[in-house]
Structures are given as structure tokens and as C-alpha cells.
Amino acid sequence: MKKKGKKRPLIGFLFQTVIRFFSCFSLKWAHRIGTVLGWCLWLLPNPLKKISTENITTAFPQYSEKERKNLLRASLIELGKGFTELGPLWCWPRERLLPLVQDDGGSAAIGKALEQQKGVLLLSPHLGAWELTGWYWSTLFPVTAMYRPPRVRSISDFMRQVREREGAKLVPTDIVGIKALFKALKKNETIGILPDQDPGKRGGVAAPFFNHPATTMTLVAKLAQKTGAPVFFTFAERLPCGAGYSIHVLEAQKGIADTDETAAAAELNRQIESCVHLMPQQYLWSYGRYRKIKKYQKRQRRQQQQLKNAD
């Protein structure tokens, strides 16, 4: 993979130092520190709070102001825990992490699906401890996952190292990476995708997400159509009081591989919504899911006008 971005070794060193510092605590204490951080995000003006407020207001217009504030506060606290738990999740050995994971039979379902010899698509939304989700499945199955590195290369190098430590293979979010996903499915392996990630300028369509348009990837539908691979949603619920994590695995419903890419994208979002409704406070509402839709729609109108002029 071609490395991009600036090296900035000092930033990378500081980032690693903070993460390794959190790894010195038990998970319970890491989450307690994260709770304090989350309260700071709730009490003080900051971009994460602003984006979360906008997204929650857009997604839940039927909520009262009190309900939206409660969800916002809870989500920022979970966001704080999500950062401080990176210490344990990225730095602890397998023997210390595995006892914290409760698997309700999802691994058996995936193992059975692999018997079809078509590979398996694992869709992990930005819900709960998604860093744990990728790590956990890589301890059980060969996993190839798409990876969009941060702009600071020294941080990117560290993230690749910890995410690949159990044998997972990270591939870029471009044509090379897409080919690698098809290859992995052909070898009857599992592939991991963040289905609610921004697909970029050419990899998505506008589809409703909580009844509001959002740019949505079409890659999931294309992979499922061309390979016939079973599709599952998976996420790790963060349990109270640092008790660990519960792995959820839900088989995707029909329609996610519709040949109409807009219909397939809408169904993908609908099923992501079903996952989010199970624990909305643990969704990453600070992710700018809606922020690029206006640019996308403007680009679409410009392209349509160009085609019209060409005729």
C-alpha cells in the first residue's frame, strides 16, 4: 500500500504514548476515565458535540428536546470510553482480551456460512467497540478489511500494526483493495467492511439513513451480487462497568444485494438503522454521515446538466 500523508513523528509518538498509558489500567478504570472525558465533551463546546447534536437532531426529529439531550450526553460518554479503551484493545495480548468477549453463537453461524465456499461479508457499523469486532474475528477466521489511513502517517503505521497483529489483512479503499476483497471471498475467507463509512466521490449513491439522505456505499451490493457470499452485520456491545463486550451477529435480510444500487443502498441503511436501534447511545453520532450529502447532490446535478448539454 502506498503511504500517504505527512510523517509527523512527534504526533505519532504522543498518540502511541497516550494509548499505551491507557493500556496500564483495567478495562473498568479505562472506561471510568473515558466517562470523565465524555462528560467534558458534553459540558464544553467542541466539534464532536456539534456534529453529534446535528446528527441526532436529524435522525430523531420525533424525540423531545430532553430525549435528544439524554442521547447526546450518553453518546459522548460512550465516545470517551471508545477512545480510552483503545489502550486495552490495541495493546493487551489475546490471553487478556478474549475472556472479556461474550460470543452468543455468532462464530458458529459464520463458520456454518463458510461451508457454502463463497466466503462471508462481515459488515461492522460504527457501533459499540468496532475496533474489538475486527480484532475478535481475526482471531477466528482469515479476515481482509478495507482501511482508510489517517493523514498522519506515524499514527497510521501504529494503527496498521495493532489491527493486523492477529493476522488480519488491511487493504486500501481503492480498486486494488476491492480486487483484494473479491480474491479473499474467492478463497472462502471473510472480509470486513464499515458499511456506514463515507464512500468517497464515486463509490456511493444518496439513500435515506434515518429518513434523511446520506451518501451510501454501493460496494456491499456489488460484492454480494457477484459472489453470492452470505452477509452478516456484527458489532461489539460495550457492557456496563467495564464488564467486557458482547459480540452480536445478525444475518442480513434480503434486498441488500438488489441490482438497483439505490434500492440496495436504502436497504443497507435500513438494516444499519436496525442495529443502531438496539443501542443508539453507542453509535458514533460524531461521524459526519450527513455532512457530504449536499456536495454529492450538487455534483450529481452538475453531471446531469453536462449530459443534458451534450445531448
Side-chain angles (χ1 to χ4, degrees):
M1 182 187 298
K2 183 179 178 180
K3 293 185 177 181
K4 298 180 180 180
K6 297 181 179 180
K7 184 69 175 176
R8 295 182 177 175
L10 179 59
I11 294 178
F13 171 77
L14 293 174
F15 178 76
Q16 291 187 47
T17 300
V18 170
I19 296 301
R20 296 188 187 282
F21 170 74
F22 290 134
S23 73
C24 298
F25 297 93
S26 66
L27 183 62
K28 178 183 291 187
W29 272 102
H31 280 175
R32 285 176 175 173
I33 298 171
T35 298
V36 174
L37 178 59
W39 271 100
C40 292
L41 292 173
W42 160 250
L43 294 172
L44 302 174
N46 60 84
L48 296 176
K49 180 180 179 180
K50 181 180 180 181
I51 296 173
S52 298
T53 301
E54 293 172 354
N55 287 344
I56 290 174
T57 300
T58 300
F60 300 105
Q62 73 277 19
Y63 279 18
S64 67
E65 183 178 355
K66 182 179 180 180
E67 288 174 324
R68 286 196 292 267
K69 284 186 176 180
N70 288 341
L71 177 55
L72 174 62
R73 181 174 61 249
S75 71
L76 291 174
I77 289 173
E78 293 298 325
L79 180 61
K81 292 180 183 179
F83 177 66
T84 55
E85 73 185 1
L86 290 179
L89 298 188
W90 281 358
C91 300
W92 286 4
R94 178 196 292 206
E95 295 75 18
R96 193 175 178 186
L97 272 181
L98 277 180
L100 295 171
V101 182
Q102 300 176 17
D103 187 338
D104 61 358
S107 57
I110 294 172
K112 186 175 181 179
L114 287 170
E115 294 177 3
Q116 300 180 33
Q117 298 296 311
K118 295 180 180 180
V120 167
L121 276 74
L122 295 177
L123 307 182
S124 180
H126 289 90
L127 181 64
W130 65 88
E131 288 287 349
L132 177 85
T133 305
W135 172 85
Y136 178 69
W137 293 125
S138 70
T139 67
L140 299 175
F141 308 105
V143 174
T144 299
M146 300 200 88
Y147 169 64
R148 182 176 295 167
R151 295 179 181 180
V152 180
R153 186 152 36 102
S154 55
I155 294 178
S156 175
D157 293 343
F158 174 60
M159 291 175 66
R160 282 187 64 87
Q161 177 186 346
V162 297
R163 287 175 172 175
E164 292 183 328
R165 70 188 189 278
E166 293 291 347
K169 180 182 179 182
L170 301 184
V171 297
T173 54
D174 56 20
I175 188 63
V176 174
I178 292 173
K179 289 181 178 179
L181 296 182
F182 275 106
K183 184 177 180 180
L185 291 175
K186 188 175 182 180
K187 292 168 60 179
N188 194 36
E189 297 179 351
T190 60
I191 64 171
I193 295 176
L194 291 166
D196 52 349
Q197 190 170 44
D198 179 72
K201 293 182 178 181
R202 300 181 180 178
V205 296
F209 182 61
F210 284 95
N211 297 315
H212 192 278
T215 50
T216 306
M217 66 172 58
T218 57
L219 177 60
V220 171
K222 293 175 181 177
L223 288 167
Q225 290 166 18
K226 294 181 180 181
T227 66
V231 184
F232 294 87
F233 286 90
T234 180
F235 50 93
E237 179 182 0
R238 191 176 294 114
L239 300 177
C241 303
Y245 305 89
S246 178
I247 295 289
H248 295 265
V249 175
L250 305 173
E251 186 175 0
Q253 301 301 306
K254 293 181 179 180
I256 206 167
D258 198 299
T259 53
D260 183 323
E261 62 181 17
T262 301
E267 181 60 22
L268 174 64
N269 280 344
R270 187 192 68 79
Q271 295 188 41
I272 294 173
E273 290 175 24
S274 296
C275 296
V276 174
H277 277 302
L278 296 175
M279 46 182 203
Q281 73 281 4
Q282 292 194 27
Y283 188 63
L284 188 67
W285 294 109
S286 60
Y287 185 64
R289 187 75 203 273
Y290 298 119
R291 287 201 156 193
K292 294 185 178 181
I293 186 63
K294 290 183 179 180
K295 291 183 178 179
Y296 170 84
Q297 293 172 332
K298 183 178 180 181
R299 186 166 60 249
Q300 289 295 103
R301 288 193 296 268
R302 184 168 60 248
Q303 291 175 352
Q304 291 172 1
Q305 186 61 45
Q306 290 174 348
L307 291 174
K308 185 177 180 180
N309 293 338
D311 293 338

